[in-house]
Amino acid sequence: MEDGVVYDNAAVSFSDGEATLEGVVLKLAISDPGHILTVDIASILEDRDTEVPVSPADAYKLQISQQPAATIYGNYDDEPAGLGTIILVTLDEFDNPSASGLVQEQLVTVTIENDGSSGSDALIGGTTQVDMQSGTATFDNVNIDKEGEGYTLRFSSGSPVALQQVISDAFDIENIDDLSEFNVALADSTATIYEFLEFGLDITGALGSNGQAISGLVNVIVTSDEEGVIHNLDVDFTGGAAGLILALETVVAHALTVNVSGVNNDETINVTVSEDLSEFAVSVDPEQQYAAFPFDLFITGAIDRDGDNITGFTNVVVVSTIDGEVHNDDADFHLDGDATIIIALSEDTHTLTVSVEGVTHDQEIIGLDIAENVSGFLTS
């Protein structure tokens, strides 16, 4: 049959110039102005046109007029991925849009046809059943809880009219699973943490939500349950690893909560802060000291952080506000934690800061007057 020809029959019987054409089929629904049918009868010179409005047949099947996107992205928060807006329409058997016959509530249900996830089956959630309104169903709150490739959806409606089902195009779901994580530990697990003394904290295996190792400057917040926030700075990560230097002042057990920006879950490490018992006293001979003339500086009662006397050769540093560093060498400490060192200063009023290795806090001698050295003799 030629294109556009809807009836071609050479055996039509006429009676008194009239005939009935049976079996003419018009599949495309057009109501206004309708189909224009041109009737051509052999042996009659002129054709005749007639207008035939065609209404759609009853709703017969479902069709997806707006498919899910080819790739649907979550946001790495372990929440189901929303599938966006999916729109269905009803068609008659000739593919004309039709709501004819849908005189009652016509529910359309969506289910997973092909499960693209690995492991256990994915679950579909949200609004998975809607009512056809005038031959259109809109699903805009459907989600799937697992990543996967090649998902398809089945849409079905069986009451009151049994409509032919339809399967969606295939699509992939990415970025649901939050893969972010990290580990935290003391840089030296055997070290004792003392009040006010700096200690190291190592972060390793830090992964972003996409499972890639974190690198570059990333904010890290460390909070003590006893002291509040003790660190809130950007830290330079390399391959998911970074180190922090911290200090605590409260002698108690602390729970440190570590938050790394871009990682969904925090980590907690427990540390115990011990009292720092280290101390010493420092003094000089009360007699007048003279410029460039060596004199004794006495260190007494030096004990370490655990309260034990410092003994043996231990480094001592002495810094003057006038002369700068005037001593940086080992001193021989006796069993009682005492030692004597010899220094010399210029003429002026000095403040001396004395540091002993193993003692946290320095000691000062303030206002030490060094007089002019006028000693000498003549020769002839």
Side-chain angles (χ1 to χ4, degrees), residues 353-368:
T353 300
V354 182
S355 303
V356 175
E357 182 180 1
V359 179
T360 303
H361 305 290
D362 301 336
Q363 296 296 327
E364 290 185 338
I365 298 176
I366 300 174
L368 179 61

Side-chain angles (χ1 to χ4, degrees), residues 286-326:
E287 298 294 330
Q288 179 69 60
Q289 314 301 325
Y290 294 94
F293 195 84
F295 64 93
D296 292 336
L297 186 148
F298 306 110
I299 298 172
T300 56
I303 58 177
D304 63 19
R305 297 180 181 95
D306 293 322
D308 298 325
N309 289 339
I310 292 176
T311 59
F313 288 97
T314 304
N315 184 254
V316 176
V317 177
V318 181
V319 178
S320 162
T321 52
I322 303 301
D323 295 344
E325 188 175 273
V326 295

Side-chain angles (χ1 to χ4, degrees), residues 260-275:
V260 177
S261 180
V263 178
N264 209 26
N265 299 313
D266 299 338
E267 293 293 333
T268 299
I269 183 172
N270 297 313
V271 300
T272 299
V273 177
S274 300
E275 183 180 3

